[in-house]
């Protein structure tokens, strides 16, 4: 593609320019007295990535550290804006902001299932947050953010198989002061922040931060007169810092976040956005025309405007009457960090308790035809109650030759999910019309008639074609046609997880310049699961009782119609047969993880290192009843729901990672380079196939039974692997380059480049016991993972010139992120491809003496680049003119696709003041 080539060329040009700028500056920094002022401005960033305070350039791990000034200039209010300054990181959100996902080097947790834990966890002030999406909240005043790349299995814990994000807020100060900010922008964006800090007594200081945000939505819902993807939130945080002596420090933090917003809408993908859409959005004339799509006819005839299928990146959404995207989130908690210096050792204790609750209504089908929805309800939400306790003891031995650290961690997480997903008021007619229009019955299609069958001739023809099963088939049509506003009344999932670990992390100073770091962690993870279902879909049980025996009828038409009627009437195992049914299960894991690093400083300015790390992400339960079985058979016929509960389990994800790196820092110049390879076994994948979510572990096979193409055919039964031939299924490898330069006073340049080849192996299987890969994932073998661009470059320029001699200064800031092509869908269908693009943010301002005040004009995505965060199979909206996977251009058959768009251009003015 031309766009792809242009972006790749731009990225490489930026990289070359960075290197060209950097190399002369090394000599210049060493030889020229003229850089003294610039060097004075180069403030060393101190990080705690290894459980100790260390200068960034002395830490032998791959880490990006972003300070408060950079965060402020980039406009970062939550972790999504870190994308602009950390090239190996990608943060996105989809169906709910509670499900935001962070990826590092192309690896992250995919999808909206809270049963899957984060591959890139978020820690805020040392406290583990249950899912990375929780970090999408406002963060208040921030001191710094550390993005650690690669598995952090020793200090980071059980769920840092790809890396972790650590956010550190500003501490209370014993000097009285305060700050405030007012912002106004387009979309009627308003943001106000304030912060006050100071002493209460000689040994006690306080700090209070507050943030309020309100903004109109980026999407327009003309049907219901609303806008969607808006902002309406506030954040409060209070802190006490108690220092009764030089040896003891106690930091108490309490925070509260409230969000009442409408999120997250999607629009249809059309051929102007992705040419692989082809004719999928075209009306079928006649309706069985295989060069178009019969489902478009069905949707149009039931009320969907055709303009929605051809609006490109337009933001006018299709919503059913009286359906909303109302969401409410409460997130609060407290923590206590105690640091005590015994003299020979330092003790750190971090105790925290948090509660998080998020409810999200939705027009789940993302169209005007009322097919599927979640109503706003106080009884539909996901909730986490989390208690964590961490202890670390760190000191030195053998005259400073050994820097040792030992510790322990305990967590109890109570997860509750309550769901009320129901079929919409038009689902019955939609389902029968989908069945009739997509095959041999297309000539009988009549969307205004019962069963979507032409009066008189329709029922007669179906009865005759179904032979002895005719009466039952027609009765099932009638039952399906009346399946409206039925489904889940309240499904309740509960998971109680207990995790504890013991760890040690030790740095052996072999010589003054050579260090060996050894870390080891033992983790025990237990989960107890139970669920109780509530469902009033009696149409499913009716249809099953009518036509289950016709699945083996002599008539091929009867067999096909029986399967179609049951499948559409019992989608996702939504059946009254489960009403009041409870299931339970438990699982336990014990894992050793750790790291070994050899680092050498041949000069004071240069660090070289090589490392090995083993990481671990806990297994768990798929909190979705659709995974229990196929909807065709009744639960009674397979022994009941409890007999199937094992189908909800998935295995832990393991990773072995190798890295070589170098860091150079002197005066105004710093440069870091790392080369990495990480192999993931039992990689946890969550995929929506248009009907249900599939959760599957992905492994590789050294000798696939049935040959190398057995994992890409149409069968779930082929492509197994002998247990002894099972190995890793995903590999990410590449290099990262980050540099910064202060060539002159008040002028700073920073740049980064990541090349990450994050791929599935050529031969894949579904479990570590060698079971075949699900056919819905047949596009995976040998391809890159979703949301894993191979090339990403970031860059920023900051100039703060002095204006006159009265202390005034200016601000000129611009940053960019350029990314190559990637696929946004976890099943890698070509209709979900995203061309490469470049984003730019900019800020210009005037500042008073000592930055006591400032006025700034800013813009985000200043060139208004349109792109999709994630594309997905539009729920239930698939035609039937050809079988799934029959055409290589359309591996999803006649499936329609929707996408969650990224934010458009925003701009505004900010006024700040401090004292």
């Amino acid at each position: 593609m031309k766009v792809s080539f242009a972006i790749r060329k731009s990225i490489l040009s930026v990289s070359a320019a960075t290197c060209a700028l950097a190399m002369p500056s090394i000599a210049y920094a060493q030889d020229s007295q003229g850089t003294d002022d610039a060097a004075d401005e180069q403030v060393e960033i101190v990080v705690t990535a290894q459980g100790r305070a260390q200068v960034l350039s002395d830490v032998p791990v791959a880490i990006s550290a972003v300070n408060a000034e950079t965060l402020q200039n980039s406009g970062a209010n939550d972790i999504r804006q870190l994308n602009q300054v950390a090239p190996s990181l990608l943060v996105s959100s989809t169906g709910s902001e509670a499900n935001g996902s962070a990826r590092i080097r192309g690896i992250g947790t995919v999808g909206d299932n809270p049963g899957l834990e984060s591959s890139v966890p978020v820690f805020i002030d040392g406290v583990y947050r249950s899912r990375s999406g929780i970090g999408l909240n406002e963060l208040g005043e921030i001191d710094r953010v550390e993005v650690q790349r690669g598995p952090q299995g020793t200090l980071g814990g059980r769920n840092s198989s790809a890396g972790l994000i650590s956010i550190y807020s500003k501490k209370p100060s014993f000097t009285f002061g305060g700050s405030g900010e007012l912002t106004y922008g387009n979309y009627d964006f308003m943001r106000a922040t304030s912060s006050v800090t100071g002493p209460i007594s000689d040994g006690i200081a306080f700090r209070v931060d507050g943030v309020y945000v309100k903004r109109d939505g980026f999407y327009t819902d003309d049907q219901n007169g609303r806008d969607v993807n808006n902002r309406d939130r506030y954040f409060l945080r209070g802190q006490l810092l108690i220092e009764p002596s030089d040896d003891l420090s106690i930091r108490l933090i309490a925070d509260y976040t409230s969000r009442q917003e409408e999120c997250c809408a999607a629009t249809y993908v059309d051929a102007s956005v992705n040419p692989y859409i082809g004719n999928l959005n075209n009306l079928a004339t006649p309706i069985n025309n295989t060069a178009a799509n019969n489902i478009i006819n069905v949707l149009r005839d039931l009320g969907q405007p055709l303009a929605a299928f051809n609006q490109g990146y337009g933001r006018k959404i299709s919503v059913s009457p009286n359906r909303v995207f109302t969401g409410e989130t409460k997130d609060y908690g407290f923590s206590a960090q105690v640091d005590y210096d015994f003299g020979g050792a330092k003790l750190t204790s971090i105790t925290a308790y948090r509660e998080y609750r998020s409810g999200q209504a939705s027009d789940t089908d993302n169209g005007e035809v009322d097919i599927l929805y979640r109503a706003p309800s106080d009884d539909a939400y996901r909730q986490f109650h989390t208690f964590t306790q961490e202890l670390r003891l760190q000191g030195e031995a053998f005259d400073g030759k050994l820097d040792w650290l030992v510790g322990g961690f305990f967590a109890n997480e109570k997860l509750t999910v309550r769901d009320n997903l129901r079929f919409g008021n038009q689902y019955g007619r939609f389902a029968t019309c989908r069945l009739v229009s997509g095959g041999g019955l297309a000539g009988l299609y009549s969307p205004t008639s019962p069963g979507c069958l032409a009066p008189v001739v329709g029922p007669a023809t179906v009865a005759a074609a179904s032979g002895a099963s005719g009466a039952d088939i027609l009765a099932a049509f009638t039952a399906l046609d009346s399946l409206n506003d039925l489904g889940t009344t309240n499904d309740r999932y509960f998971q109680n997880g207990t995790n504890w670990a013991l760890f040690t992390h030790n740095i052996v100073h072999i010589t003054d310049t050579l260090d060996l770091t050894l870390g080891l962690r033992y983790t025990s993870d237990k989960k107890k699961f139970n669920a109780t279902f509530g469902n009033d879909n009696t149409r499913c049980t009716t249809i099953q009782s009518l036509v289950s025996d016709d699945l083996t009828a002599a008539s091929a038409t009867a067999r096909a119609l029986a399967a179609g009627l049951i499948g559409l009437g019992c989608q996702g195992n939504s059946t009254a047969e489960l009403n009041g049914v409870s299931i339970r299960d438990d699982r336990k894991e014990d894992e050793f993880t750790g790291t070994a690093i050899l680092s050498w400083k041949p000069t004071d300015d240069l660090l070289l290192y090589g490392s090995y790390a083993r990481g671990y992400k806990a297994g768990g339960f798929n909190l979705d009843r659709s995974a229990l079985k196929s909807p065709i058979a009744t639960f009674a016929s397979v022994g009941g729901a409890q007999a199937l509960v094992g189908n909800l389990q998935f295995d832990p994800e393991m990773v072995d990672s190798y890295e070589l790196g170098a860091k150079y820092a002197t005066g105004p110049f710093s440069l870091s380079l790392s080369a990495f390879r990480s192999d993931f076994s039992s990689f946890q994948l969550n995929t929506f196939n248009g009907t249900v979510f599939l959760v599957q572990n992905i492994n590789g096979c050294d000798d696939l039974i049935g040959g190398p193409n057995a994992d890409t055919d149409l069968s779930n039964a082929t492509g197994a692997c002998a247990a002894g031939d099972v190995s890793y299924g995903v590999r990410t490898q590449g290099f990262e380059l980050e540099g910064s330069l202060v060539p002159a006073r008040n002028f700073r340049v920073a740049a980064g480049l990541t090349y990450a080849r994050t791929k599935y192996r050529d031969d894949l299987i579904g479990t570590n016991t060698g079971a075949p890969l699900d056919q819905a994932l047949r596009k995976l073998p040998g391809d890159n993972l979703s949301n894993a661009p191979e090339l990403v470059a970031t860059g920023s320029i900051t100039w703060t010139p002095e204006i006159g001699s009265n202390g005034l200064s200016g601000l000129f800031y611009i940053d960019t992120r350029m990314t190559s092509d990637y696929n946004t869908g976890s099943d890698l269908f070509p209709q979900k491809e995203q061309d490469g693009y470049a984003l730019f943010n900019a800020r210009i301002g005037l500042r008073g003496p000592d930055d006591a005040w400032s006025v700034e004009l800013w813009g985000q995505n200043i060139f208004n680049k349109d792109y999709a965060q994630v594309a997905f199979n539009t729920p239930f909206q698939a035609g039937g003119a050809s079988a799934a996977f029959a055409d290589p251009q359309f591996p999803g058959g006649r499936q329609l696709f929707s996408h969650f768009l990224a934010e458009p251009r925003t701009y505004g003015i900010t006024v700040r003041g401090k004292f």
Side-chain angles (χ1 to χ4, degrees):
M1 291 185 185
K2 292 182 179 179
V3 173
S4 172
F5 177 76
I7 290 293
R8 185 180 293 266
K9 184 177 179 180
S10 298
I11 292 173
L12 294 176
S13 297
V14 169
S15 307
T18 302
C19 293
L21 180 66
M23 292 305 102
S25 67
I26 298 176
Y28 185 68
Q30 292 172 337
D31 299 337
S32 174
Q33 183 66 31
T35 62
D36 287 348
D37 290 341
D40 291 341
E41 289 190 358
Q42 186 76 355
V43 178
E44 291 183 327
I45 298 177
V46 176
V47 298
T48 55
Q50 296 194 115
R52 311 155 173 84
Q54 295 173 288
V55 175
L56 176 63
S57 57
D58 290 337
V59 180
V61 297
I63 177 174
S64 300
V66 185
N67 62 20
E69 181 182 7
T70 300
L71 291 169
Q72 180 175 289
N73 288 338
S74 67
N77 301 320
D78 61 42
I79 63 175
R80 274 173 298 199
Q81 279 80 29
L82 294 176
N83 293 342
Q84 289 295 108
V85 294
S88 293
L89 176 68
L90 177 63
V91 182
S92 60
S93 58
T94 54
S96 165
E97 289 208 346
N99 305 313
S101 176
R103 296 172 175 83
I104 291 179
R105 296 172 175 172
I107 300 292
T109 298
V110 177
D112 296 348
N113 193 318
L116 279 80
E117 303 182 29
S118 301
S119 300
V120 183
V122 173
F123 289 78
I124 300 180
D125 291 319
V127 177
Y128 171 75
R129 299 302 176 96
S130 293
R131 301 295 182 269
S132 59
I134 296 173
L136 297 180
N137 286 333
E138 293 288 330
L139 299 173
E141 291 278 349
I142 298 299
D143 178 69
R144 71 184 188 281
V145 178
E146 299 175 11
V147 180
Q148 295 172 240
R149 308 188 294 271
Q152 308 295 319
T154 303
L155 298 174
R158 71 192 190 279
N159 294 328
S160 53
S161 56
L164 62 83
I165 300 172
S166 295
I167 301 168
Y168 297 92
S169 64
K170 286 188 176 180
K171 293 182 178 181
S173 171
F174 285 94
T175 301
F176 186 73
S179 64
E181 172 189 311
L182 291 174
T183 295
Y184 184 79
N186 61 333
Y187 294 96
D188 208 17
F189 173 58
M190 293 177 285
R191 185 173 190 267
T193 72
S194 64
S195 176
V196 179
T197 185
I200 296 176
S201 66
D202 288 344
I204 303 176
F206 77 96
R207 184 181 188 93
V208 177
D209 297 295
V211 181
Y212 173 76
V213 181
K214 193 173 180 64
R215 192 204 65 208
D216 293 341
F218 296 137
Y219 290 98
T220 302
D221 170 14
D222 290 340
Q223 174 74 250
N224 299 294
R226 311 168 75 96
D227 55 73
V228 181
N229 284 40
N230 65 335
R231 289 281 185 272
D232 189 357
R233 59 180 64 175
Y234 66 86
F235 166 82
L236 295 171
R237 179 172 58 222
Q239 301 185 60
L240 287 177
L241 180 60
I242 305 170
E243 295 183 343
S245 69
D246 292 339
D247 298 328
L248 177 62
S249 174
I250 302 172
R251 186 183 182 191
L252 306 177
I253 305 175
D255 65 89
Y256 182 89
T257 295
S258 173
R259 291 163 35 179
Q260 297 189 44
E261 302 170 347
E262 298 205 31
C263 189
C264 298
T267 57
Y268 290 101
V269 184
D270 68 22
S272 71
V273 171
N274 186 316
Y276 289 106
I277 291 295
N279 55 26
L280 287 177
N281 292 6
N282 294 355
L283 277 171
T285 306
I287 198 168
N288 60 355
N289 178 7
T290 58
N293 198 346
N294 61 286
I295 203 66
I296 300 295
N297 299 56
V298 173
L299 293 169
R300 177 203 60 183
D301 295 339
L302 296 181
Q304 174 66 54
L306 291 177
F309 300 113
N310 297 283
Q311 67 166 325
Y313 285 107
R315 295 176 185 268
K316 182 178 179 180
I317 58 176
S318 299
V319 184
S320 304
N322 301 315
R323 301 299 180 212
V324 296
F325 291 87
T326 304
E328 183 173 3
T329 298
K330 306 291 184 186
D331 178 23
Y332 55 91
F334 66 87
S335 65
Q337 178 170 335
V338 179
D339 295 287
Y340 187 76
D341 190 342
F342 291 100
K346 296 179 180 179
L347 175 68
T348 297
S349 169
I350 303 177
T351 307
Y353 176 78
R354 300 205 59 82
E355 293 193 8
Y356 176 89
R357 175 167 165 159
S358 178
Q360 185 71 61
S362 65
D363 186 5
T364 315
D365 54 71
N366 295 293
E368 288 197 23
V369 182
D370 195 14
I371 301 171
L372 199 63
Y373 75 99
R374 285 184 171 93
S377 171
D378 291 337
D379 291 327
Y381 55 83
R382 62 185 57 185
Q383 178 177 274
F384 295 92
H385 289 183
T386 309
F387 171 80
T388 58
Q389 173 64 59
E390 182 171 5
L391 289 172
R392 297 194 304 267
L393 188 65
Q394 184 253 329
E396 294 183 347
F398 307 111
D399 295 325
K401 291 293 186 181
L402 173 64
D403 182 347
W404 56 267
L405 183 152
V406 295
F409 178 81
F410 173 83
N412 178 250
E413 177 185 276
K414 294 182 173 67
L415 168 60
T416 301
V417 176
R418 301 183 70 167
D419 197 11
N420 62 347
L421 181 65
R422 293 176 69 80
F423 296 112
N425 287 319
Q426 293 177 277
Y427 178 76
R429 184 57 51 87
F430 167 81
T432 53
C433 285
R434 172 179 162 175
L435 187 61
V436 170
S437 65
L441 302 179
L444 307 175
Y445 174 73
S446 178
T448 59
S449 302
C452 204
L453 295 168
V456 184
V457 65
T461 302
V462 170
S466 301
S469 304
D472 287 346
I473 295 293
L474 287 177
F477 259 97
T478 300
L480 179 59
D481 200 50
S482 64
L483 202 175
N484 299 315
D485 200 21
L486 297 172
T488 303
T489 54
N490 198 259
D491 284 347
R492 290 162 287 172
Y493 300 88
F494 304 97
Q495 180 176 283
N496 190 332
T498 300
N499 176 281
W500 65 269
L502 298 174
F503 56 87
T504 181
H505 188 274
N506 308 285
I507 303 174
V508 182
H509 304 296
I510 301 173
T511 69
D512 291 341
T513 61
L514 185 65
D515 289 348
L516 175 64
T517 301
L518 297 173
L520 183 66
R521 185 182 188 106
Y522 169 78
T523 301
S524 175
D525 190 86
K526 298 179 182 179
K527 291 185 174 72
K528 294 181 179 179
F529 162 82
N530 68 84
T532 300
F533 305 106
N535 198 288
D536 61 5
N537 182 14
T538 56
R539 302 302 187 273
C540 171
T541 53
T542 298
I543 295 170
Q544 286 177 325
S545 65
L546 285 168
V547 299
S548 287
D549 58 340
D550 297 312
L551 293 168
T552 56
S555 166
T557 299
R559 295 196 301 271
L561 287 175
L565 288 161
I566 295 174
L568 289 168
C570 306
Q571 291 266 30
N573 287 322
S574 178
T575 171
E577 188 183 6
L578 282 179
N579 191 48
V581 172
S582 297
I583 57 176
R584 64 183 60 250
D585 202 359
D586 59 75
R587 58 177 291 119
K588 183 178 184 298
E589 301 164 3
D590 299 283
E591 296 290 347
F592 282 97
T593 55
T595 188
I597 308 170
L598 186 64
S599 58
W600 177 44
K601 294 199 73 170
T603 70
D604 290 341
D605 303 324
L606 178 63
L607 172 71
L608 305 175
Y609 68 90
S611 69
Y612 165 79
R614 182 166 176 81
Y616 157 62
K617 177 184 170 186
F621 295 93
N622 180 3
L623 305 185
D624 187 344
R625 63 164 187 256
S626 66
L628 289 168
K629 66 169 185 62
S630 162
I632 301 301
T634 65
F635 279 94
S637 68
V638 292
Q642 180 60 40
L644 304 170
V645 70
N647 294 337
L648 301 182
Q649 290 204 32
F650 54 88
D651 293 328
E653 178 178 294
M654 307 298 299
V655 55
D656 292 291
S657 183
Y658 308 87
E659 189 168 310
L660 294 174
K663 295 185 177 184
Y664 179 82
T666 180
F669 175 70
S670 67
L671 181 69
S672 65
L673 173 67
S674 60
F676 60 88
R677 170 180 284 183
S678 301
D679 294 333
F680 291 79
S681 301
S682 293
F683 179 77
Q684 296 170 5
L685 183 69
N686 186 27
T687 301
F688 181 65
N689 68 1
T691 303
V692 297
F693 283 94
L694 304 173
V695 176
Q696 185 161 32
N697 290 106
I698 305 296
N699 286 285
C701 182
D702 296 329
D703 187 12
L704 201 63
I705 297 174
N709 296 321
D711 55 352
T712 60
D713 61 20
L714 306 181
S715 173
N716 281 334
T718 59
C721 185
D725 291 329
V726 176
S727 60
Y728 72 92
V730 171
R731 169 174 286 176
T732 179
Q733 58 184 346
F735 67 86
E736 298 159 322
L737 177 69
E738 290 187 333
S740 67
L741 174 65
V742 183
R745 184 176 178 83
N746 303 320
F747 190 83
R748 180 185 181 88
V749 180
L753 173 71
T754 295
Y755 172 77
R757 184 75 164 164
T758 307
K759 294 187 62 175
Y760 293 103
R761 289 190 64 187
D762 290 337
D763 295 326
L764 297 180
I765 53 172
T767 67
N768 57 16
T769 59
L773 188 71
D774 190 292
Q775 66 161 344
L777 306 177
R778 63 189 288 270
K779 297 288 290 182
L780 270 56
D783 206 346
N784 288 4
L785 272 67
S786 63
N787 286 286
E790 290 188 13
L791 276 172
V792 177
T794 61
S796 67
I797 298 174
T798 308
W799 183 37
T800 55
E802 296 176 357
I803 300 176
S805 58
N806 56 2
L808 294 179
S809 64
L811 168 66
F812 299 90
Y813 174 85
I814 188 169
D815 66 38
T816 183
R817 178 185 175 96
M818 293 177 284
T819 179
S820 61
D821 299 355
Y822 59 94
N823 195 304
T824 68
S826 52
D827 54 14
L828 301 183
F829 286 180
Q831 289 77 20
K832 303 174 184 180
E833 289 281 349
Q834 170 62 55
D835 285 337
Y837 56 88
L839 299 177
F840 293 86
N841 300 330
R843 187 171 295 257
I844 183 172
L846 178 66
R847 297 176 173 181
D850 299 320
D851 290 342
W853 57 266
S854 67
V855 179
E856 299 171 2
L857 300 174
W858 53 267
Q860 304 278 94
N861 188 11
I862 58 177
F863 296 112
N864 202 26
K865 178 61 183 178
D866 290 315
Y867 65 100
Q869 293 190 84
V870 171
F872 60 95
N873 298 20
T874 311
F876 296 178
Q877 295 168 52
S882 64
F885 312 129
D887 186 327
Q889 181 179 340
F890 303 110
R894 309 309 289 169
Q895 169 72 54
L896 298 184
F897 297 90
S898 297
H899 52 187
F900 297 108
L901 297 178
E903 294 185 357
R905 174 171 52 215
T906 56
Y907 51 86
I909 183 171
T910 295
V911 178
R912 291 191 180 94
K914 69 178 183 178
F915 60 90

